[in-house]
Amino acid sequence: MGCSKWRAAFNFGHLRVQSKLSVFFTMIILFSYLFYCLNGYCDSLPRPVFDQQTNVQHKIYFHDGQEASPEQRGAHSASPASFVREQLLDLSNSKVPSNNISIANNFGSKKFPQAIIIGVKKGGTRALLEFLRIHPEVRAVGAEPHFFDRFYDKGLEWYRNLMPRTLEGQITMEKTPSYFITKEAPRRVFSMSSHTKLIVVVRDPVTRAVSDYTQTLSKSPGLPSFQNLAFHNSTTGLIDTSWSAVRIGIYSKHLENWLRFFPLSRFLFVSGERLVTDPAGEMGRVQDFLGLKRVVTDKHFYFNQTKGFPCLKKPEGSSRPRCLGKSKGRPHPQIPFEVLLRLRDFYRPFNLKFYQMTGHNFGWD
């Protein structure tokens, strides 16, 4: 009888110890999670969390109750947790089934972008956007929406739904480099807002053309040589301006189209070369143009010798620095010197006119 009482007491004590241990470990997990989120790392949450919590079986809905298209899903910020928060907020007002989670709209609102990086392809637009996203007052779409060149028929509300939510004082931004060379884009942007700030990242058009060709070659290895595409006839040296790699670099022609709708004061022209050699200096100009405090400074950058361009230093608590993708900094193919010389002669008058139009000499000649 005494043994039975002793055994029961022991078992009860053992259970109390187990209970205390469970509470102890639970508290550790909770405090770790809170610390993790307060330091800004909740954005590493995997997308399945959203699927499990909302029970929408991998479907995403907007305010009209329609399932999002691939373009809509892809155009959101690359951060999965930010995507989760934005879509959960949308679900509170959508026509999805009532068993989904309803969350009050306290993360700001979706607005049309106050600033757009409109060009140019292979000029450094991705680097500029990633550098800007460090700033706490900037909220930007991760992917290129291509609204003003490809999806304009979907309407402005569709476009606004692609934007991230912003709080008072924050700037909404997007970047689509092909806007700069799209004939209809200036009128369309102006129709949305005549006050939109426009950023153009420009680069030596010869180097830009080679970089453009290099990117295309990586996707289509059977592509003809650069010189075969650049010239109508290599003997006469007549440049083929119908080739997009050449046409994009005629900056003065494209700018003329934009100046029909926007004054020069609405533009900031960023040097793609200086974005590499002096990223903090160029970012200072960009932040001033956007009316932002100079938060992004030289303390954020280091030069990556392997890639040949600057990367962002490792944020506190992160395991590694942030560099652009593997496709950035890829080696260019060897182009005959005389081909580059002819192309440089072709661009010279256009470059000089561009310098005159912008009031800035980029030093490409």
Side-chain angles (χ1 to χ4, degrees), residues 80-93:
S82 298
F83 186 91
V84 166
R85 286 193 295 268
E86 291 169 19
Q87 295 305 328
L88 285 174
L89 289 168
D90 281 346
L91 285 167
S92 65
N93 293 321

Side-chain angles (χ1 to χ4, degrees), residues 69-344:
S69 67
E71 295 88 11
Q72 289 170 313
R73 288 192 289 265
H76 282 270
S77 170
S79 165
S82 298
F83 186 91
V84 166
R85 286 193 295 268
E86 291 169 19
Q87 295 305 328
L88 285 174
L89 289 168
D90 281 346
L91 285 167
S92 65
N93 293 321
S94 69
K95 299 175 183 177
V96 292
S98 58
N99 62 336
N100 289 325
I101 293 176
S102 177
I103 296 181
N105 185 348
N106 58 357
F107 287 106
S109 57
K110 295 189 176 187
K111 301 173 185 176
F112 293 122
Q114 295 90 49
I116 305 176
I117 301 172
I118 60 172
V120 299
K121 180 184 178 184
K122 305 309 295 179
T125 58
R126 172 54 60 183
L128 176 61
L129 185 69
E130 292 306 311
F131 296 165
L132 270 173
R133 291 174 82 175
I134 302 172
H135 203 293
E137 301 304 318
V138 172
R139 294 280 284 124
V141 180
E144 297 173 3
H146 283 282
F147 175 66
F148 295 106
D149 58 349
R150 298 181 189 172
F151 303 118
Y152 193 66
D153 60 337
K154 292 182 179 291
L156 284 169
E157 283 307 304
W158 179 88
Y159 180 54
R160 181 158 54 184
N161 262 328
L162 300 183
M163 298 301 118
R165 294 187 180 276
T166 51
L167 301 173
E168 189 67 31
Q170 290 183 318
I171 292 178
T172 304
M173 291 190 67
E174 70 116 316
K175 78 112 179 166
T176 305
S178 53
Y179 290 163
F180 189 59
I181 64 167
T182 300
K183 186 178 179 181
E184 301 82 4
R187 175 182 55 79
R188 291 170 174 176
V189 176
F190 184 84
S191 295
M192 177 189 72
S193 172
S194 61
H195 301 291
T196 308
K197 293 183 177 182
L198 307 165
I199 301 176
V200 188
V201 189
V202 289
R203 180 185 184 187
D204 182 333
V206 177
T207 310
R208 197 222 65 82
V210 176
S211 180
D212 197 337
Y213 171 77
T214 304
Q215 183 184 58
T216 308
L217 185 65
S218 68
K219 299 173 183 176
S220 305
L223 202 67
S225 68
F226 180 88
Q227 49 268 41
N228 285 345
L229 293 170
F231 298 114
H232 280 297
N233 188 311
S234 58
T235 305
T236 61
L238 185 63
I239 303 295
D240 186 358
T241 56
S242 67
W243 185 33
S244 64
V246 169
R247 188 176 68 255
I248 290 171
I250 309 175
Y251 303 141
S252 59
K253 290 284 188 183
H254 306 306
L255 182 58
E256 283 177 349
N257 190 30
W258 282 88
L259 290 176
R260 292 189 182 100
F261 294 88
F262 292 92
L264 196 62
S265 59
R266 287 285 164 197
F267 294 85
L268 178 69
F269 300 94
V270 176
S271 167
E273 286 82 11
R274 282 197 294 275
L275 201 57
V276 171
T277 60
D278 182 21
E282 283 300 280
M283 288 305 300
R285 293 180 62 240
V286 175
Q287 290 169 96
D288 291 347
F289 175 70
L290 295 174
L292 299 170
K293 184 180 178 182
R294 288 196 174 193
V295 171
V296 184
T297 62
D298 54 2
K299 69 181 181 181
H300 290 94
F301 302 99
Y302 78 96
F303 192 80
N304 186 304
Q305 296 290 346
T306 304
K307 284 182 171 289
F309 56 76
C311 294
L312 298 170
K313 288 181 180 177
K314 181 176 72 171
E316 287 185 26
S318 178
S319 59
R320 59 183 179 180
R322 291 167 54 193
C323 276
L324 298 180
K326 292 185 292 184
S327 64
K328 306 299 181 181
R330 59 165 73 91
H332 291 176
Q334 283 293 109
I335 309 294
F337 177 75
E338 59 272 15
V339 172
L340 299 178
L341 194 60
R342 285 185 182 182
L343 200 55
R344 194 162 297 281

